[in-house]
Amino acid sequence: MTLFILAAGMGSRYGGLKQIDPFTDKGEFIIDFSIYDAIQAGFDRVVFVIKKENYEIFKETVGSRIEGKVKVEYVFQGLDSFVPADKIPAERVKPWGTTHALLCGKNVLDDGFAVINADDFYGRDAFMKAAEFLKNADESDSHYCMVGYRLGNTLTDNGSVARGECHATSDGYLDKIVERTKLFKEDGGAYFEDNGETVHLPNETVVSMNFWGFTPKVFEGLSEDFEAFLNDPDREPLKSECLLPNTIGKMIKAGDCDVKVLTTSAKWFGVTYANDKPDVIAKLKALIAAGEYPDGLWN
């Protein structure tokens, strides 16, 4: 099984390449903990999607540490990857989004694979559940999975967050994801503004943190939706992105796939804002002190 890590983005609100920002006194990054957990769950290959200009720094840091522990590969997300030249505005700088990032792995992802963000801590339970699903998946089928988190386990005290509110069927399959772009933490959950009204979501609300499990069959739908995105006359040419949750939502609605929601009690954390970093450092230190991770993941 392969872990595909979305690492081509820069943290605009955080201010820097947060995927390779040390969080322990051993110099480890959040991404190291995800890879460690994935290996424990049975994943035997890691593929990074990165910007080509970041290749050397990724290889010298994360790559050099995990080579020998797991198979490592890299693919690049560029504006011209899987995109015709006449569809690329000369002034475009912003990447094409997470659907496009995943498409950049099309030629190397030939088995069941999980997709995660590079700068999020997901917890061991999430990897275990995704691995169990993928071990039993038929690579020719369009039956996928998504790890769903309790909203209360994904919030920050330092500002608003964007979360995908998951609506599932009675038998646990994803029906749709509603993007909530400005959620603020409050007692018992979070709130957002909708047409001038305050809407409250309880802590138990299931949300997506962009942790997916797919088979190679998914690339048919991804390619189709990304092509439609590029040909959409109403998209903003310099800023619009084709996002994976939206693409999967369209595929579900069209009956092209189903997505099992795997709920987890794991606590997500990450650095959405620079002020989140001390809290993340403290949480990782506590997990190491509790023996959940060794003091030095790759020793």
Side-chain angles (χ1 to χ4, degrees):
M1 290 183 298
T2 299
L3 179 65
F4 189 74
I5 301 179
L6 304 174
M10 298 288 285
S12 58
R13 285 179 294 182
Y14 178 66
L17 192 59
K18 59 183 174 181
Q19 295 92 336
I20 53 172
D21 191 7
F23 282 80
T24 70
D25 56 9
K26 297 293 193 298
E28 292 146 342
F29 316 137
I30 291 178
I31 200 172
D32 283 291
F33 288 84
S34 292
I35 295 168
Y36 183 88
D37 282 341
I39 293 173
Q40 307 310 305
F43 289 84
D44 56 10
R45 181 171 69 145
V46 173
V47 178
F48 297 100
V49 56
I50 60 176
K51 291 180 179 178
K52 193 170 185 178
E53 58 265 32
N54 291 335
Y55 171 71
E56 291 298 333
I57 193 169
F58 262 90
K59 186 171 176 59
E60 290 172 5
T61 53
V62 179
S64 65
R65 287 203 287 255
I66 65 174
E67 289 172 359
K69 308 288 193 305
V70 65
K71 185 177 180 181
V72 183
E73 297 178 34
Y74 302 86
V75 296
F76 304 126
Q77 183 183 14
L79 289 178
D80 59 349
S81 305
F82 295 88
V83 181
D86 63 343
K87 297 295 183 182
I88 307 174
E91 300 83 8
R92 176 95 187 192
V93 176
K94 193 177 184 68
W96 296 109
T98 46
T99 294
H100 179 246
L102 185 47
L103 268 178
C104 292
K106 180 179 179 179
N107 294 332
V108 300
L109 295 172
D110 54 4
D111 61 349
F113 63 95
V115 179
I116 64 167
N117 295 329
D119 47 8
D120 292 339
F121 178 92
Y122 290 99
R124 179 94 38 90
D125 182 63
F127 291 93
M128 291 293 185
K129 288 184 174 175
E132 187 63 28
F133 180 92
L134 292 171
K135 287 173 185 176
N136 296 308
D138 186 327
E139 294 178 4
S140 64
D141 280 347
S142 53
H143 302 302
Y144 312 135
C145 72
M146 183 209 76
V147 179
Y149 284 75
R150 291 179 67 250
L151 174 62
N153 287 340
T154 74
L155 299 172
T156 174
D157 294 320
N158 296 308
S160 67
V161 297
R163 297 288 181 260
E165 181 186 352
C166 298
H167 295 255
T169 62
S170 58
D171 53 353
Y173 285 88
L174 187 64
D175 181 43
K176 63 180 178 179
I177 296 178
V178 181
E179 292 296 327
R180 306 298 185 190
T181 56
K182 287 192 175 182
L183 282 171
F184 292 89
K185 186 177 181 180
E186 64 177 357
D187 288 342
Y191 69 91
F192 64 95
E193 299 294 328
D194 184 26
N195 293 323
E197 294 186 6
T198 301
V199 181
H200 304 272
L201 295 178
N203 279 329
E204 291 71 28
T205 303
V206 177
V207 296
S208 168
M209 299 307 299
N210 223 29
F211 193 140
W212 303 87
F214 296 120
T215 69
K217 182 77 171 176
V218 75
F219 289 111
E220 295 177 13
L222 299 185
S223 298
E224 182 178 325
D225 189 57
F226 187 63
E227 182 178 357
F229 164 81
L230 291 176
N231 292 319
D232 182 358
D234 296 325
R235 70 176 173 86
E236 210 293 316
L238 300 184
K239 295 183 179 180
S240 293
E241 294 182 80
C242 189
L243 301 176
L244 188 56
N246 296 340
T247 298
I248 298 301
K250 294 175 188 176
M251 292 168 61
I252 292 172
K253 188 174 182 179
D256 294 333
C257 72
D258 59 49
V259 178
K260 185 71 173 178
V261 179
L262 310 176
T263 56
T264 180
S265 59
K267 291 186 177 181
W268 171 97
F269 52 83
V271 180
T272 305
Y273 301 96
N275 288 341
D276 291 329
K277 184 174 180 179
D279 184 52
V280 172
I281 291 173
K283 287 177 178 176
L284 291 175
K285 188 174 182 178
L287 289 171
I288 292 169
E292 294 193 33
Y293 295 96
D295 187 12
L297 293 176
W298 309 118
N299 291 344

